[in-house]
């Protein structure tokens, strides 16, 4: 008996477009455009180990020292320190976040005494600075020197972009180097440019402040409308509701991940167009029905919108993949973004399927997403919804 029924799942739009919690990394589009509203952090934390070799030196037989955290900072199991966020703003790829707590290093029977407090991360595009108040005993004078709000470490964000989390954003493993102004605090033992530990932080953001993404809330405050602006884009993946653990003899499927928006990263100039790529949140399909009936997972994307600006969904294409083989699953055909011709994923396409008589089992399906946009695309925060449908 073959039994094939269409089972479109009720969809939950997990994250809306502009101005909500799911800002992905900056999408730099040429030309003037409206900047996304700044978002205010109401939580988060910074994780940084300063420099692993310095920590070993302090705790080891040379310095015979100790390390203590205070003021809300804590030491993590891996030896790095966690500082709670006290304030922060995220405005496209500009971030300014302050963190409480301190870490205090001592050694050489008190001759080494260094405290970092008042950490402040400031990011502008692909560069950033970690500012801190530093107190460190001078090796020559033996007295404590206070460095107020010194630019202590340089942050390199050329390969790290904000990733959406359930509550806001995270930046992971940002490479850091010692600045010239940080050198004396380490008694000149490290040269300017010495690699310090990578720094990670999260910021939780409050609900969107823009009540109506269709209108520019206050065009008069656009800080610099004459230059290219940074904006964000999200692709929202619809997570089906009520997907139960598959039992023996059933067909079940679910989108993995935490339901936050899929980031298409930073749109890059590709000559005659802009391109951005990302990964679909993997979809796990289990089919243990003795009927071995055919199944398929299909998808279709909505238009991308940023306020009142719309970009046709056809600009999105993909290359489906079977990430973990099983149950006779095969990947659907690649769909080219419809920049030049075709409908891209605006037209229903197959992510994966299994033919009648397939093996029983579980497969994980994924897809490389590719968005191709005209070079003159207006800057803005673009969001879209990809709706996945199972036929079984
Ligand atoms: C009595 C005073 C001190 C003595 C005898 C001393 C001695 C040493 C020695 C023997 C080393 C190892 C050098 C090597 O392996 O090449 C070292 C490394 C170092 N010292 Fe000191 N030191 C003193 C004070 C300080 C102070 C005040 C600071 C300021 C924070 C400091 C920061 C460092 C740093 C950053 C390193 C390099 C650690 C690493 O990454 O391996 N030292 N020190």
């Amino acid at each position: 008996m073959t039994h094939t029924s269409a089972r479109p799942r009720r969809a939950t739009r997990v994250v809306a477009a502009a101005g909500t919690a799911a800002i992905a990394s900056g999408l730099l589009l040429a030309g003037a455009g409206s900047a996304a509203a700044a978002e205010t952090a109401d939580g988060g934390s910074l994780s940084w180990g300063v420099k692993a070799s310095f920590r070993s030196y302090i705790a080891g037989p040379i310095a015979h020292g100790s390390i203590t955290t205070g003021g809300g900072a804590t030491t993590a199991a891996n030896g790095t320190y966690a500082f709670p966020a006290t304030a922060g703003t995220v405005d496209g790829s500009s971030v300014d976040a302050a963190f409480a707590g301190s870490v205090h290093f001592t050694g050489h029977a008190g001759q080494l005494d260094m405290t970092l407090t008042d950490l402040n991360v400031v990011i502008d595009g692909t560069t950033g600075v970690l500012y801190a108040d530093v107190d460190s005993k001078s090796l020559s004078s033996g007295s404590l020197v206070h460095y107020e709000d010194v630019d202590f470490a340089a942050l390199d964000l050329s390969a790290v972009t904000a990733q959406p989390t359930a509550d806001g954003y995270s930046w992971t493993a940002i490479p850091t180097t010692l600045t010239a102004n940080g050198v004396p605090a380490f008694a000149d033992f490290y040269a300017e440019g010495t690699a310090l530990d990578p720094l990670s932080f999260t910021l939780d953001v409050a609900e969107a402040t823009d009540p109506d993404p269709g209108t520019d809330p206050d065009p008069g405050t656009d800080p610099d409308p004459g230059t290219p602006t940074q904006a964000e884009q999200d692709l929202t993946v619809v997570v089906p509701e009520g997907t139960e653990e598959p039992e023996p003899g059933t067909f079940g499927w679910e989108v993995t991940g935490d339901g936050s928006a899929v980031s298409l990263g930073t749109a890059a100039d590709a000559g005659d167009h802009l391109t951005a790529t990302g990964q679909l949140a993997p979809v796990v399909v289990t089919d243990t029905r003795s009927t071995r009936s055919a199944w398929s997972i299909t998808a279709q994307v909505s238009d991308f919108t940023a306020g009142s600006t719309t970009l046709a969904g056809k600009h999105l294409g993909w290359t489906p993949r079977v990430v973990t083989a099983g149950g006779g699953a095969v990947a659907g055909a690649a769909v080219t973004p419809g920049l030049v011709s075709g409908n891209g994923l605006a037209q229903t396409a197959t992510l994966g399927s299994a033919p009648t008589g397939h093996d029983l089992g579980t497969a994980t399906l994924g897809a490389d997403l590719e968005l191709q946009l005209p070079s003159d695309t207006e800057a803005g925060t673009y969001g879209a919804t990809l709706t996945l449908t199972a036929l079984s």
Side-chain angles (χ1 to χ4, degrees), residues 83-387:
F83 304 86
T86 52
T89 52
V90 181
D91 190 352
S93 61
S94 296
V95 180
D96 189 341
F99 301 87
S102 63
V103 58
H104 183 195
F105 301 91
T106 59
H108 299 294
Q111 285 172 287
L112 185 161
D113 188 326
M114 176 176 165
T115 306
L116 300 179
T117 49
D118 199 14
L119 270 52
N120 177 204
V121 170
V122 177
I123 293 173
D124 186 10
T126 56
T127 59
V129 175
L130 173 70
Y131 294 91
D133 288 351
V134 183
D135 293 282
S136 188
K137 218 174 238 185
S138 158
L139 199 50
S140 48
S141 74
S143 48
L144 274 173
V145 179
H146 180 72
Y147 305 88
E148 176 74 23
D149 227 359
V150 66
D151 55 326
F152 192 69
L155 312 185
D156 175 6
L157 288 111
S158 52
V160 179
T161 53
Q163 296 300 312
T165 65
D167 301 314
Y169 312 104
S170 68
W171 292 257
T172 304
I174 303 167
T176 72
T177 49
L178 187 66
T179 60
N181 288 336
V183 169
F186 280 115
D188 293 353
F189 275 93
Y190 298 136
E192 177 188 359
T194 299
L196 302 176
D197 274 10
L199 179 154
S200 300
F201 69 103
T202 63
L203 288 177
D204 303 339
V205 292
E207 276 296 294
T209 48
D210 182 356
D212 179 1
T215 56
D216 189 341
D218 189 355
T221 59
D222 193 338
D224 188 359
T227 57
T229 53
Q230 299 234 281
E232 303 75 34
Q233 64 171 20
D234 304 326
L235 177 70
T236 306
V237 168
V238 169
V239 179
E241 274 184 358
T243 306
E244 317 84 25
E245 274 294 302
E247 292 158 15
T250 62
F251 174 84
W253 68 291
E254 67 176 327
V255 180
T256 60
D258 60 7
S260 55
V262 168
S263 166
L264 294 182
T266 302
D269 188 352
D272 58 353
H273 66 276
L274 301 171
T275 179
T277 57
Q279 298 284 322
L280 187 75
V283 176
V284 178
V285 184
T286 298
D287 192 357
T288 53
R289 296 170 300 170
S290 55
T291 54
R292 299 172 189 264
S293 302
W295 59 260
S296 68
I297 306 281
T298 59
Q300 191 175 18
V301 73
S302 67
D303 286 345
F304 288 79
T305 56
S308 55
T309 310
T310 300
L311 281 176
K314 70 171 185 178
H315 291 103
L316 185 70
W318 73 3
T319 305
R321 284 179 291 114
V322 175
V323 180
T324 316
V330 290
V335 174
T336 312
L339 180 65
V340 178
S341 65
N343 289 321
L345 284 177
Q347 191 170 316
T348 301
T350 301
L351 173 66
S353 63
T356 304
H358 61 75
D359 289 346
L360 304 184
T362 298
T364 303
L365 304 171
D368 300 325
L369 300 167
E370 185 183 7
L371 186 67
Q372 291 182 356
L373 300 172
S375 296
D376 61 356
T377 300
E378 197 178 324
T381 302
Y382 292 92
T385 301
L386 187 75
T387 303

